[in-house]
């Protein structure tokens, strides 16, 4: 498994943009490679929601509520996944958690970063 460190969260007004990042660092003894990388978000009192996911080969997947506004990308050399969030809405306010899926079917999670969008 790997350690995931997120950064870039914060507060922004509706209509603005933020980019959050998640950098993976391989733990000692890690041999399983990284497959999918992505982001979930959690809002108070609501179930976890997939925001976006990107695989090494193939198109990215987005949640319906963020399609056309958010873009996910990854830098494999840096083991980092990014989420560019444009035209943010108040309802995008949430804690965002990155994840990576390994070739051994295990999943690692980040600690979460808060995004607050005000009207």
């Amino acid at each position: 498994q790997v350690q995931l460190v997120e950064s870039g969260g914060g507060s922004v007004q509706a209509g603005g943009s933020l980019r959050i990042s998640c950098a993976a660092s391989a733990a000692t003894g890690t041999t399983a490679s990284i497959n999918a990388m992505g982001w979930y978000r959690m809002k108070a009192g609501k179930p976890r929601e997939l925001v976006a996911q990107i695989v090494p080969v193939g198109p990215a997947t987005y949640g319906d509520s963020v399609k056309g506004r958010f873009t996910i990308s990854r830098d494999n050399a840096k083991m980092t996944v990014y989420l560019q969030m444009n035209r943010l809405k108040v309802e995008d306010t949430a804690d965002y958690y990155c994840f990576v899926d390994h070739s051994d079917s295990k999943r690692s999670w980040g600690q979460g970063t808060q995004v607050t969008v005000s009207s």
Side-chain angles (χ1 to χ4, degrees):
Q1 303 240 320
V2 298
Q3 181 181 17
L4 303 180
V5 178
E6 301 165 0
S7 60
S11 298
V12 66
Q13 287 193 319
S17 298
L18 277 176
R19 188 176 83 154
I20 54 178
S21 304
C22 175
S25 58
T28 301
T30 300
T31 58
S33 60
I34 293 175
N35 290 334
M37 305 178 78
W39 298 87
Y40 276 86
R41 67 185 181 188
M42 290 191 67
K43 304 176 187 179
K46 295 192 176 182
R48 186 177 63 187
E49 175 189 7
L50 177 66
V51 178
Q53 173 176 292
I54 186 168
V55 294
V57 178
T61 302
Y62 295 93
D64 288 340
S65 61
V66 307
K67 284 180 181 176
R69 299 187 298 120
F70 290 12
T71 302
I72 189 171
S73 60
R74 62 191 281 172
D75 184 330
N76 291 324
K78 295 181 179 180
M79 291 200 297
T80 299
V81 60
Y82 306 94
L83 186 68
Q84 177 67 43
M85 304 181 287
N86 298 328
R87 291 184 283 137
L88 282 159
K89 303 176 181 180
V90 172
E91 50 264 42
D92 293 318
T93 296
D95 292 324
Y96 286 71
Y97 295 87
C98 73
F99 69 90
V100 299
D101 288 336
H102 303 274
S103 59
D104 61 359
S105 301
K106 293 181 180 178
R107 174 169 283 183
S108 298
W109 288 96
Q111 81 284 0
T113 187
Q114 189 173 50
V115 171
T116 302
V117 185
S118 59
S119 58

